[in-house]
Coordinates of all heavy atoms in Angstrom, one line a residue:
G265 N 61.7 37.2 -49.6 CA 62.5 36.0 -49.2 C 62.0 34.8 -50.1 O 60.8 34.9 -50.5
E266 N 62.8 33.8 -50.2 CA 62.4 32.6 -50.9 C 61.4 31.9 -50.2 O 61.3 31.9 -48.9 CB 63.7 31.7 -51.2 CG 63.3 30.6 -52.1 CD 64.6 29.7 -52.4 OE1 65.5 29.6 -51.5 OE2 64.7 29.2 -53.5
T267 N 60.5 31.2 -50.9 CA 59.4 30.4 -50.2 C 59.5 29.0 -50.8 O 60.3 28.7 -51.7 CB 58.1 31.0 -50.5 OG1 57.7 30.8 -51.9 CG2 58.0 32.5 -50.2
M268 N 58.6 28.2 -50.3 CA 58.5 26.8 -50.9 C 57.8 26.8 -52.1 O 57.7 25.7 -52.8 CB 57.8 25.9 -49.8 CG 58.5 25.7 -48.5 SD 57.5 24.7 -47.4 CE 57.4 23.2 -48.3
R269 N 57.2 27.8 -52.6 CA 56.3 27.9 -53.8 C 57.2 27.7 -55.0 O 58.1 28.5 -55.2 CB 55.5 29.1 -53.8 CG 54.5 29.1 -54.9 CD 53.5 30.3 -54.7 NE 52.8 30.3 -53.4 CZ 51.7 29.6 -53.2 NH1 51.2 28.9 -54.2 NH2 51.1 29.6 -52.1
I270 N 56.8 26.8 -55.9 CA 57.5 26.7 -57.2 C 56.5 27.0 -58.3 O 55.2 26.7 -58.2 CB 58.0 25.3 -57.3 CG1 56.9 24.2 -57.3 CG2 59.1 25.0 -56.3 CD1 57.3 22.8 -57.7
V271 N 57.0 27.6 -59.4 CA 56.2 27.7 -60.6 C 56.6 26.7 -61.6 O 57.8 26.4 -61.8 CB 56.5 29.2 -61.2 CG1 55.8 29.4 -62.5 CG2 56.1 30.3 -60.2
F272 N 55.6 26.1 -62.2 CA 55.8 25.2 -63.3 C 54.6 25.1 -64.2 O 53.5 25.6 -63.8 CB 56.1 23.7 -62.8 CG 54.9 23.1 -62.0 CD1 54.1 22.2 -62.6 CD2 54.6 23.4 -60.7 CE1 53.0 21.6 -62.0 CE2 53.6 22.8 -60.0 CZ 52.8 21.9 -60.6
L273 N 54.8 24.7 -65.5 CA 53.7 24.6 -66.3 C 53.3 23.1 -66.4 O 54.0 22.2 -66.7 CB 54.1 25.0 -67.8 CG 54.7 26.5 -67.9 CD1 55.0 26.8 -69.4 CD2 53.7 27.4 -67.3
Q274 N 52.0 22.9 -66.1 CA 51.5 21.5 -66.1 C 50.9 21.3 -67.5 O 50.1 22.1 -68.1 CB 50.3 21.4 -65.1 CG 49.6 20.1 -65.1 CD 50.3 19.0 -64.5 OE1 51.5 18.8 -64.6 NE2 49.6 18.1 -63.8
I275 N 51.3 20.2 -68.2 CA 50.9 19.8 -69.5 C 49.9 18.7 -69.6 O 50.2 17.6 -69.0 CB 52.2 19.5 -70.3 CG1 53.2 20.6 -70.3 CG2 51.8 19.2 -71.8 CD1 54.5 20.3 -71.0
N276 N 48.8 18.9 -70.2 CA 47.7 17.9 -70.2 C 48.0 17.0 -71.4 O 47.9 17.3 -72.6 CB 46.4 18.6 -70.5 CG 45.2 17.6 -70.4 OD1 45.4 16.4 -70.4 ND2 44.0 18.1 -70.3
T277 N 48.4 15.7 -71.1 CA 48.6 14.7 -72.1 C 47.6 13.6 -72.1 O 47.8 12.6 -72.8 CB 50.0 14.1 -71.8 OG1 50.0 13.4 -70.6 CG2 51.1 15.1 -71.7
T278 N 46.5 13.8 -71.3 CA 45.5 12.7 -71.3 C 44.8 12.5 -72.7 O 44.8 13.5 -73.5 CB 44.4 13.1 -70.3 OG1 43.8 14.3 -70.6 CG2 45.0 13.2 -68.8
E279 N 44.3 11.3 -72.9 CA 43.6 11.0 -74.1 C 42.4 11.9 -74.4 O 42.1 12.1 -75.6 CB 43.2 9.5 -74.2 CG 44.4 8.6 -74.3 CD 45.2 8.8 -75.5 OE1 44.6 9.0 -76.6 OE2 46.4 8.8 -75.5
T280 N 41.8 12.4 -73.4 CA 40.6 13.3 -73.5 C 41.0 14.7 -73.6 O 40.1 15.6 -73.7 CB 39.6 13.0 -72.4 OG1 40.2 13.3 -71.1 CG2 39.1 11.5 -72.5
G281 N 42.3 15.0 -73.4 CA 42.7 16.4 -73.4 C 42.4 17.1 -74.7 O 42.4 16.5 -75.8
P282 N 42.2 18.4 -74.7 CA 41.7 19.1 -75.9 C 42.7 19.4 -76.9 O 42.4 19.8 -78.1 CB 41.1 20.4 -75.3 CG 41.9 20.7 -74.1 CD 42.1 19.3 -73.5
N283 N 44.0 19.3 -76.7 CA 45.0 19.5 -77.6 C 45.9 18.3 -77.8 O 46.8 18.0 -77.0 CB 45.9 20.7 -77.1 CG 46.8 21.3 -78.2 OD1 47.2 20.6 -79.1 ND2 47.0 22.6 -78.2
A284 N 45.7 17.6 -78.9 CA 46.4 16.4 -79.3 C 47.9 16.6 -79.4 O 48.7 15.7 -79.2 CB 45.8 15.7 -80.5
A285 N 48.3 17.8 -79.8 CA 49.7 18.0 -80.0 C 50.5 17.8 -78.7 O 51.7 17.4 -78.8 CB 49.9 19.5 -80.5
L286 N 49.9 18.0 -77.6 CA 50.6 17.9 -76.3 C 50.9 16.5 -75.9 O 51.6 16.2 -75.0 CB 49.8 18.6 -75.2 CG 49.7 20.1 -75.4 CD1 48.8 20.8 -74.3 CD2 51.1 20.8 -75.5
R287 N 50.3 15.5 -76.6 CA 50.5 14.1 -76.4 C 51.8 13.6 -77.1 O 52.3 12.5 -76.9 CB 49.3 13.3 -76.8 CG 48.1 13.5 -75.9 CD 47.0 12.5 -76.1 NE 46.2 12.7 -77.3 CZ 45.1 13.6 -77.3 NH1 44.8 14.2 -76.1 NH2 44.4 13.7 -78.4
D288 N 52.4 14.5 -77.9 CA 53.7 14.2 -78.5 C 54.9 14.7 -77.6 O 55.0 15.9 -77.3 CB 53.7 15.0 -79.9 CG 54.9 14.5 -80.8 OD1 56.0 14.4 -80.3 OD2 54.6 14.2 -82.0
L289 N 55.7 13.8 -77.3 CA 56.9 14.1 -76.4 C 57.7 15.2 -77.0 O 58.2 16.1 -76.3 CB 57.7 12.8 -76.2 CG 59.1 13.0 -75.4 CD1 58.8 13.5 -74.1 CD2 59.8 11.7 -75.4
R290 N 57.9 15.2 -78.3 CA 58.7 16.2 -78.9 C 58.2 17.6 -78.8 O 58.9 18.6 -78.6 CB 58.9 15.9 -80.4 CG 59.7 14.6 -80.7 CD 59.5 14.1 -82.1 NE 58.1 13.8 -82.5 CZ 57.7 13.3 -83.6 NH1 58.6 13.0 -84.6 NH2 56.4 13.0 -83.8
V291 N 56.9 17.7 -78.8 CA 56.2 19.0 -78.5 C 56.5 19.4 -77.1 O 56.9 20.6 -76.8 CB 54.7 19.0 -78.8 CG1 54.0 20.3 -78.4 CG2 54.5 18.7 -80.3
R292 N 56.3 18.6 -76.2 CA 56.5 18.9 -74.8 C 58.0 19.3 -74.5 O 58.3 20.2 -73.7 CB 56.1 17.8 -73.9 CG 54.6 17.3 -74.1 CD 54.1 16.5 -72.9 NE 54.8 15.3 -72.8 CZ 54.5 14.0 -73.4 NH1 53.5 14.1 -74.3 NH2 55.3 13.0 -73.2
Q293 N 58.9 18.6 -75.1 CA 60.3 18.9 -75.0 C 60.6 20.3 -75.5 O 61.4 21.1 -75.0 CB 61.2 17.9 -75.7 CG 61.2 16.5 -75.0 CD 61.9 15.4 -75.8 OE1 61.9 15.5 -77.0 NE2 62.5 14.5 -75.1
A294 N 59.9 20.6 -76.7 CA 60.1 21.9 -77.3 C 59.7 23.0 -76.4 O 60.3 24.1 -76.3 CB 59.4 21.9 -78.6
L295 N 58.6 22.8 -75.7 CA 58.1 23.8 -74.7 C 59.1 24.1 -73.7 O 59.3 25.2 -73.2 CB 56.7 23.4 -74.1 CG 55.6 23.2 -75.1 CD1 54.3 22.8 -74.3 CD2 55.3 24.4 -75.9
N296 N 59.7 23.0 -73.2 CA 60.8 23.2 -72.2 C 62.0 24.0 -72.7 O 62.6 24.8 -72.0 CB 61.3 21.8 -71.7 CG 60.4 21.2 -70.6 OD1 60.7 21.5 -69.4 ND2 59.3 20.5 -71.0
Y297 N 62.5 23.6 -73.9 CA 63.6 24.3 -74.5 C 63.3 25.7 -74.9 O 64.2 26.6 -74.9 CB 64.1 23.6 -75.7 CG 64.9 22.3 -75.5 CD1 64.5 21.1 -76.0 CD2 66.1 22.3 -74.8 CE1 65.2 19.9 -75.8 CE2 66.9 21.2 -74.6 CZ 66.4 20.0 -75.1 OH 67.1 18.8 -74.8
A298 N 62.1 26.1 -75.1 CA 61.7 27.4 -75.7 C 61.7 28.5 -74.6 O 61.9 29.7 -75.0 CB 60.3 27.3 -76.3
I299 N 61.7 28.2 -73.3 CA 61.5 29.2 -72.3 C 62.8 29.4 -71.5 O 63.3 28.5 -71.0 CB 60.3 28.8 -71.4 CG1 59.0 28.7 -72.1 CG2 60.2 29.9 -70.3 CD1 57.9 28.1 -71.3
D300 N 63.2 30.7 -71.5 CA 64.4 31.0 -70.7 C 64.0 31.3 -69.3 O 63.8 32.4 -68.8 CB 65.1 32.2 -71.3 CG 66.5 32.4 -70.8 OD1 66.8 31.9 -69.7 OD2 67.3 33.2 -71.3
K301 N 63.9 30.2 -68.5 CA 63.5 30.4 -67.1 C 64.5 31.1 -66.2 O 64.1 31.8 -65.3 CB 63.2 29.0 -66.5 CG 64.3 28.0 -66.4 CD 63.9 26.6 -66.0 CE 65.0 25.6 -66.0 NZ 64.5 24.2 -65.8
E302 N 65.8 31.0 -66.6 CA 66.8 31.7 -65.8 C 66.6 33.2 -66.0 O 66.7 34.0 -65.0 CB 68.2 31.3 -66.2 CG 68.4 29.8 -65.8 CD 69.9 29.4 -65.9 OE1 70.7 30.3 -66.4 OE2 70.2 28.3 -65.6
A303 N 66.3 33.6 -67.2 CA 66.1 35.0 -67.5 C 64.9 35.6 -66.8 O 64.9 36.7 -66.2 CB 66.1 35.3 -68.9
I304 N 63.8 34.8 -66.8 CA 62.6 35.2 -66.2 C 62.8 35.3 -64.7 O 62.4 36.2 -63.9 CB 61.4 34.3 -66.4 CG1 61.1 34.3 -68.0 CG2 60.2 34.7 -65.7 CD1 60.1 33.3 -68.4
S305 N 63.4 34.3 -64.1 CA 63.8 34.3 -62.7 C 64.6 35.5 -62.3 O 64.2 36.1 -61.2 CB 64.5 33.0 -62.4 OG 64.9 33.0 -61.0
S306 N 65.6 35.8 -63.0 CA 66.5 36.9 -62.6 C 65.9 38.2 -62.8 O 66.0 39.1 -62.0 CB 67.8 36.8 -63.4 OG 68.7 37.8 -63.1
N307 N 65.3 38.4 -64.0 CA 64.8 39.8 -64.4 C 63.5 40.1 -64.0 O 63.2 41.3 -63.7 CB 64.9 39.9 -65.9 CG 66.4 39.7 -66.5 OD1 67.3 40.1 -65.8 ND2 66.5 39.1 -67.7
L308 N 62.5 39.2 -63.9 CA 61.2 39.5 -63.6 C 60.9 39.1 -62.1 O 60.1 39.9 -61.4 CB 60.2 38.7 -64.4 CG 60.0 39.3 -65.8 CD1 58.9 38.5 -66.6 CD2 59.5 40.8 -65.8
V309 N 61.3 38.0 -61.6 CA 61.0 37.5 -60.3 C 61.9 38.1 -59.2 O 61.4 38.6 -58.2 CB 61.0 35.9 -60.2 CG1 60.5 35.5 -58.9 CG2 60.2 35.4 -61.3
G310 N 63.2 38.0 -59.5 CA 64.2 38.7 -58.6 C 64.8 37.9 -57.4 O 64.7 36.7 -57.4
E311 N 65.2 38.6 -56.5 CA 65.9 38.0 -55.3 C 65.1 37.0 -54.6 O 63.9 37.2 -54.4 CB 66.3 39.2 -54.3 CG 67.1 38.7 -53.1 CD 67.4 39.9 -52.2 OE1 67.0 41.0 -52.5 OE2 68.0 39.6 -51.1
G312 N 65.8 35.9 -54.4 CA 65.1 34.8 -53.7 C 64.5 33.7 -54.7 O 63.9 32.7 -54.2
S313 N 64.6 34.0 -56.0 CA 64.1 33.0 -57.0 C 65.2 32.1 -57.5 O 66.3 32.7 -57.9 CB 63.4 33.7 -58.1 OG 63.0 32.8 -59.1

Side-chain angles (χ1 to χ4, degrees):
E266 187 175 34
T267 71
M268 296 178 63
R269 187 171 298 277
I270 60 168
V271 176
F272 64 99
L273 303 183
Q274 174 77 322
I275 304 173
N276 185 348
T277 65
T278 59
E279 289 300 318
T280 58
N283 196 327
L286 297 177
R287 292 193 278 276
D288 191 312
L289 173 60
R290 295 165 296 186
V291 171
R292 302 195 300 274
Q293 290 173 329
L295 298 181
N296 274 270
Y297 282 120
I299 300 171
D300 191 345
K301 60 189 178 187
E302 292 190 1
I304 298 176
S305 172
S306 175
N307 299 326
L308 281 183
V309 185
E311 182 181 359
S313 176

